[in-house]
Amino acid sequence: MSTLGDLAELVRAPAALSVPGDVVAGAAAAGALGPRTAGLAGASVLLYWAGMAANDWADRRLDAVERPERPIPSGRVSPATALALAAGLTAAGVGLAAVTGGRRAAAVAIPLAATIWGYDVAAKNTAAGPAVMAACRGLDVLLGAAGGRPVRALPAALTVAAHTVTVTALSRREVAGADTALPLRTLAGTALVALAAARRPTTPTAVLPVALAGWYAARYGGAQARVAADPSAGRVRAAVGAGITGLPALQGALTARAGAGLLGLAVAAAAPLGRRLARRISPT
């Protein structure tokens, strides 16, 4: 029987710290911050974990060759258990979104769940993979905006989606390593993402988005620069991990840019916590 630790490794539990900030950033941008935001963030985490379990179920044969230490190929979690967990978490996530945010939230959560499953079982290893994964993150931001004016959250959704493209592109080279061109391209994308998240500091509080965006760029950009110098598989995995655990700093910048400075700091605080937890359970 699978242990709780095995299931936590299956769903990459610490990586879920990179998820609530999507909803918070979307809610802040759309003017929808409120009691429902926490429930929608919880729904987002459930859907993220569902996607991780479905990912390992879909990749179980490939992982048996490339990553035999993962929970399914190692025999610690059965394929049936992983699939049932993915389905249950999906239902729970969509249900929580509907109960918390009503029809408007459900209208985002259902396509989000479908896109997550579409990525895992069909799009992951195709040319469309990075774009589909980016759509997942963009919809996650819009889930938080469902109770307000979602159109105002589109810039934040696109910014998080662009970040996701860079992480997904790198993740495809976690096993074999990369050439030097790939990290240079993703590094350029990261610079543009950081610029988009920042805002010219015209008041003391306006400095915060710039500072948080700079933190994000330094952490994730530095990891990509190391890949450019040494594009080995280990360096690529480290950069992917930095992209996942560093995302809260970007989300915090977007939240602060929308006027919720203290909340932006709270979101960004998940970044160092995620890095610590990632030492115990890999986020990739």
Side-chain angles (χ1 to χ4, degrees), residues 119 122-132 172:
Y119 174 81
K124 180 178 180 181
N125 295 315
T126 71
V132 175
R172 293 182 158 200

Side-chain angles (χ1 to χ4, degrees), residues 34-249:
R36 295 181 176 184
T37 305
L40 292 175
S44 175
V45 168
L46 292 173
L47 290 172
Y48 184 88
W49 280 340
M52 292 296 99
N55 175 81
D56 273 24
W57 174 80
D59 281 357
R60 62 194 183 279
R61 294 183 179 88
L62 179 63
D63 284 346
V65 177
E66 295 184 345
R67 307 183 93 172
E69 74 282 358
R70 292 294 301 158
I72 294 177
S74 67
R76 290 178 288 128
V77 176
S78 71
T81 297
L83 182 59
L85 182 62
L89 288 169
T90 300
V94 172
L96 180 57
V99 169
T100 302
R103 292 181 179 179
R104 294 181 66 181
V108 180
I110 292 171
L112 171 57
T115 306
I116 289 170
W117 278 86
Y119 174 81
D120 286 335
V121 303
K124 180 178 180 181
N125 295 315
T126 71
V132 175
M133 178 55 75
C136 292
R137 281 289 189 171
L139 285 169
D140 203 32
V141 174
L142 295 179
L143 179 63
R149 300 181 64 179
V151 67
R152 292 186 175 180
L154 284 175
L158 291 172
T159 301
V160 172
H163 162 81
T164 305
V165 169
T166 68
V167 177
T168 307
L170 286 168
S171 71
R172 293 182 158 200
R173 309 305 301 172
E174 284 183 305
V175 175
D179 55 43
T180 56
L182 175 60
L184 292 177
R185 290 196 299 269
T186 60
L187 183 57
T190 297
L192 293 175
V193 166
L195 287 173
R199 181 172 65 180
R200 172 179 283 184
T202 55
T203 67
T205 56
V207 175
L208 187 55
V210 177
L212 292 176
W215 180 19
Y216 154 79
R219 169 68 182 168
Y220 182 35
Q224 292 171 85
R226 288 188 286 276
V227 176
D230 173 15
S232 63
R235 286 285 178 89
V236 173
R237 284 194 295 272
V240 172
I244 295 171
T245 60
L247 178 55

Side-chain angles (χ1 to χ4, degrees), residues 256-272:
R257 190 180 69 179
L262 290 178
L263 187 55
L265 281 174
V267 169

